[in-house]
Amino acid sequence: MAEYDLTLRMVQSLDRQLVYPLLDFVSAKEVYKAEDILRAKFELLSHTNMVDFTGQLYEQIHGTAELPAEFAAKREEVIQKLEEGEQKTEHIREVIENPEVAGLLRQDKLQNMKLLRDNYQCTPEMVLELYNYGQLQYSCGNYGGSADMLFHFSILSTDPELTLSAMWGKLASEILLGNWEVAYEDMIKLREIIDKSHFKSQSELLQQRSWLLHWSLFVFFNHAKGRDGIVDTFMLPQYISTIQNSCPWILRYLTAAVVTNRRRRNMMQELVKIIEQVSHSYRDPVTEFVEALYIDFDFDRAAAKLEQCEDVLKKDFFLTVAFDDFVENARFYFAEVYCRIHKRIDLAGLTRRLNMKQEEGEKWIVKLIRDTRMDAKVDFKDNSVIMNPTYNPVYQQVIERTKALVFRSHVLNGAIEKRGLSAAKKDESKQDVKPKQKQQQQQQQKPTKRQQPDTAVSVAAQ
C-alpha cells in the first residue's frame, strides 16, 4: 500500500541516518521496488563518512566486487580526520572524564569554563573540537562515541546555537543505539529548550517543532511511557498548530496513540475536532476510521476503514508494533458507539463489521458486554443483543449541565471585584494627584507675583 506510505513525506524532517531504518523496513515489506530502495540507500549514505557500508551498497547496485578509487581515497581521508580529532580532544577528554573534575562542574557554564581554563588549561577552542569530533563520529556511524562527545560539549559550551545542534545530534545517536530511556530524557530536554528559546523567525521555530514531532516517534513507540508521552506532547496547543500548518500526516500517529491507549479515551473528543479541522489537507484510513465513527456515524464506512487500517499499520515503521493493540481497541470503540445507538443488535452483523469470524466475534462481543457492564441482555435464540438504554432524569441532566455555572459565576464575580478595586485605586490616585498639582501651581505663581513690584520699581527708577 504505497498510497498510504509516509516515508517520502517524513524524509524532509529526519536526519539521513534516521531515514535509513525506514528504508530498510519498507524494503522488507516490499512497498517499493527493491532496486529503487537500494539506490535510495546509496544516495542517502553517500553524503556521510560511512565509506565501507556505502561501498557494499555500490557493489550490490552494480554487481561488481571492484570499487572506484575514490572510495579508497575517501576512506584514508576519514581515518586521518578521526586520528586528528582524537589528538585534538585528548587533553580535554582526560580532564572532563576525571571524576574529581566532574564533581566540580556546576550549572553555570561560564564558571565551569573559567575553572577548566584556570586550573586545567582547557580553552574554548578545545571545547569546540569536542563538537567537531562528535559530528565526525556520528557521520562515521560510531553513535556511542558521538553521544559522549556531544554530551560533554553541550555541558560546557556557551554557544546556544551549537548547544542546540549538539542536543539534536545526541538524540539521534541515542535513537540509533536504541537507548530509549536516555533518548526519552533527551527529547524532553530538547522540547523544553525549543519552547523557551527565541528563534530568528517563526518559520525557524515551526521547523524545530516539526523536526521534534518526527524524531520523537522513534522514542514514543519504543518507550514504556511512550503512549502517554505522545498524547501529552502532541496535544499541546503549539504542537497541534505545528501539525496543522506543517506536517498534517503526523495526525496518523496521534490518532493511533489515542486509540491504543484507553486511559486517554477522554482525549477522543478533542482528537475528533482536530481530525475534522485537518481533513481537508490530510486523510488516511486511520484518521478516516475515527471520522466515520464519531463524526458521520457511518458504521459501514468505519468497518471498511478499519479493515484498511490493518494493512496500513502492518506497513508503517512506527505503528507495526502497535498493530494488535490498535485493532483490539478500535473494535472496542466501534462496538461501544454501535451499542449506544442501536436497541437491538444482530451479533452476526456486528461480527461481520468488526472483520472477525462468527464464533470468535460472538464470544468477543459477549465478553465486551460483561467487562464493560453494559445494561444489555444476550438473546441466544435470535442471536442478538437487546440493549436497555438508561436515560438520566431531566433534573439530573439540568444539574450536570449547570454544575459548572457556580464556579464560572464565582470566577466572573472575582474578576469584576478586581476590576472594581483597581478602578477605585485609580480614582483615589487621581484625587491625590489633583491637590498636589494645585499646590505646585500655587507655588509656581507666588514668585511671579513677587517679581512684579520689583519690575515696576525698576521701571519707575529709570
Side-chain angles (χ1 to χ4, degrees):
M1 234 185 216
E3 177 186 359
Y4 299 114
D5 181 63
L6 297 179
T7 305
L8 298 180
R9 293 192 181 191
M10 302 185 75
V11 164
Q12 58 190 344
S13 298
L14 293 175
D15 183 79
R16 289 178 179 275
Q17 272 102 317
L18 291 178
V19 174
Y20 184 83
L22 272 66
L23 294 180
D24 217 20
F25 178 81
V26 294
S27 175
K29 296 295 181 178
E30 299 180 352
V31 178
Y32 301 99
K33 293 181 180 178
E35 184 180 352
D36 293 340
I37 293 294
L38 199 59
R39 291 186 179 278
K41 288 180 180 178
F42 177 78
E43 179 63 26
L44 187 74
L45 300 180
S46 61
H47 298 281
T48 68
N49 287 320
M50 300 173 69
V51 184
D52 293 339
F53 190 67
T54 308
Q56 294 176 8
L57 294 173
Y58 182 90
E59 291 175 354
Q60 294 177 26
I61 293 171
H62 296 87
T64 178
E66 295 182 4
L67 294 175
E70 60 188 40
F71 281 88
K74 186 175 181 180
R75 191 174 189 279
E76 292 296 326
E77 182 184 353
V78 171
I79 292 174
Q80 184 178 357
K81 286 181 179 179
L82 286 171
E83 291 175 352
E84 291 176 358
E86 188 173 0
Q87 291 174 1
K88 290 179 180 179
T89 59
E90 183 178 4
H91 175 66
I92 192 169
R93 282 188 290 112
E94 289 179 355
V95 172
I96 59 181
E97 289 173 2
N98 186 341
E100 295 180 359
V101 178
L104 296 173
L105 296 178
R106 297 293 181 264
Q107 293 291 333
D108 190 344
K109 292 185 176 183
L110 293 174
Q111 191 65 29
N112 291 339
M113 197 65 247
K114 184 176 183 302
L115 172 71
L116 294 176
R117 184 175 56 250
D118 295 345
N119 299 314
Y120 301 98
Q121 294 76 47
C122 293
T123 63
E125 289 75 17
M126 292 181 181
V127 175
L128 182 60
E129 287 300 329
L130 289 173
Y131 176 80
N132 296 332
Y133 190 45
Q135 275 196 323
L136 181 62
Q137 293 271 26
Y138 180 81
S139 182
C140 294
N142 183 11
Y143 304 119
S146 171
D148 291 340
M149 295 301 105
L150 295 175
F151 171 70
H152 293 318
F153 174 81
S154 62
I155 290 177
L156 301 174
S157 174
T158 57
D159 188 326
E161 291 186 5
L162 287 181
T163 301
L164 183 62
S165 176
M167 293 183 71
W168 280 110
K170 184 176 185 301
L171 175 60
S173 299
E174 300 294 355
I175 288 172
L176 292 165
L177 287 170
N179 295 335
W180 303 120
E181 285 292 340
V182 180
Y184 190 88
E185 294 175 3
D186 289 346
M187 185 199 62
I188 298 299
K189 292 177 184 176
L190 190 57
R191 187 189 74 188
E192 292 173 354
I193 288 179
I194 290 173
D195 291 340
K196 291 178 182 178
S197 300
H198 298 283
F199 294 94
K200 296 177 182 177
S201 63
Q202 286 297 316
S203 60
E204 186 177 354
L205 175 59
L206 185 68
Q207 185 184 55
Q208 291 284 329
R209 285 176 174 161
S210 178
W211 288 352
L212 186 65
L213 288 172
H214 287 79
W215 291 39
S216 64
L217 295 175
F218 290 92
V219 183
F220 284 138
F221 286 102
N222 287 282
H223 192 273
K225 299 179 181 178
R227 305 285 176 86
D228 291 321
I230 189 173
V231 177
D232 293 336
T233 300
F234 286 22
M235 279 294 190
L236 292 172
Q238 61 268 34
Y239 289 99
I240 289 295
S241 177
T242 303
I243 292 173
Q244 292 173 336
N245 294 298
S246 179
C247 46
W249 50 87
I250 292 294
L251 194 56
R252 172 191 291 184
Y253 303 102
L254 176 57
T255 304
V258 174
V259 171
T260 56
N261 193 348
R262 287 194 202 176
R263 294 191 304 272
R264 295 306 182 92
R265 61 183 301 177
N266 60 316
M267 304 299 295
M268 183 63 75
Q269 189 174 0
E270 186 66 25
L271 175 67
V272 170
K273 292 179 183 177
I274 299 168
I275 290 175
E276 194 171 11
Q277 292 170 357
V278 182
S279 60
H280 68 280
S281 60
Y282 178 77
R283 285 175 145 188
D284 67 21
V286 178
T287 61
E288 286 181 308
F289 166 75
V290 175
E291 182 183 356
L293 188 61
Y294 286 97
I295 299 175
D296 301 330
F297 296 100
D298 187 341
F299 295 104
D300 290 332
R301 180 165 168 259
K305 293 302 174 182
L306 179 56
E307 190 173 352
Q308 290 181 5
C309 284
E310 296 182 15
D311 293 331
V312 171
L313 266 63
K314 286 178 181 178
K315 295 181 180 179
D316 189 292
F317 175 81
F318 300 105
L319 297 180
T320 186
V321 295
F323 173 80
D324 293 332
D325 291 339
F326 181 89
V327 173
E328 178 70 18
N329 286 282
R331 286 171 176 168
F332 168 81
Y333 287 120
F334 186 100
E336 183 183 47
V337 177
Y338 193 87
C339 292
R340 282 181 183 174
I341 293 178
H342 296 83
K343 290 185 178 180
R344 193 178 192 91
I345 301 167
D346 179 26
L347 284 175
L350 182 55
T351 300
R352 186 177 63 256
R353 285 186 170 92
L354 293 174
N355 193 25
M356 301 173 73
K357 295 179 180 179
Q358 183 72 23
E359 185 177 352
E360 178 191 4
E362 290 176 1
K363 289 181 180 179
W364 186 86
I365 294 168
V366 171
K367 184 176 181 298
L368 175 68
I369 293 172
R370 288 174 180 170
D371 293 344
T372 56
R373 297 181 180 179
M374 290 182 184
D375 190 3
K377 182 175 68 173
V378 180
D379 187 348
F380 290 102
K381 187 184 235 182
D382 294 338
N383 198 30
S384 61
V385 177
I386 302 171
M387 303 299 299
N388 298 319
T390 55
Y391 302 103
N392 288 335
V394 176
Y395 69 87
Q396 185 66 31
Q397 295 179 28
V398 172
I399 291 173
E400 289 182 358
R401 293 187 180 184
T402 59
K403 62 183 178 182
L405 288 179
V406 176
F407 175 75
R408 291 172 62 185
S409 299
H410 179 71
V411 172
L412 186 60
N413 188 32
I416 293 172
E417 287 180 357
K418 285 182 180 179
R419 287 188 179 181
L421 290 172
S422 61
K425 287 182 180 178
K426 286 182 180 179
D427 292 338
E428 289 177 1
S429 62
K430 286 181 180 178
Q431 290 175 2
D432 293 339
V433 168
K434 285 182 179 180
K436 290 180 181 179
Q437 289 178 347
K438 287 182 180 179
Q439 291 177 2
Q440 290 177 356
Q441 289 176 358
Q442 290 174 1
Q443 290 175 359
Q444 291 174 356
Q445 289 174 0
K446 285 180 182 179
T448 55
K449 289 180 180 179
R450 289 177 183 175
Q451 289 174 4
Q452 285 178 358
D454 296 340
T455 308
V457 169
S458 63
V459 173
Q462 290 177 359

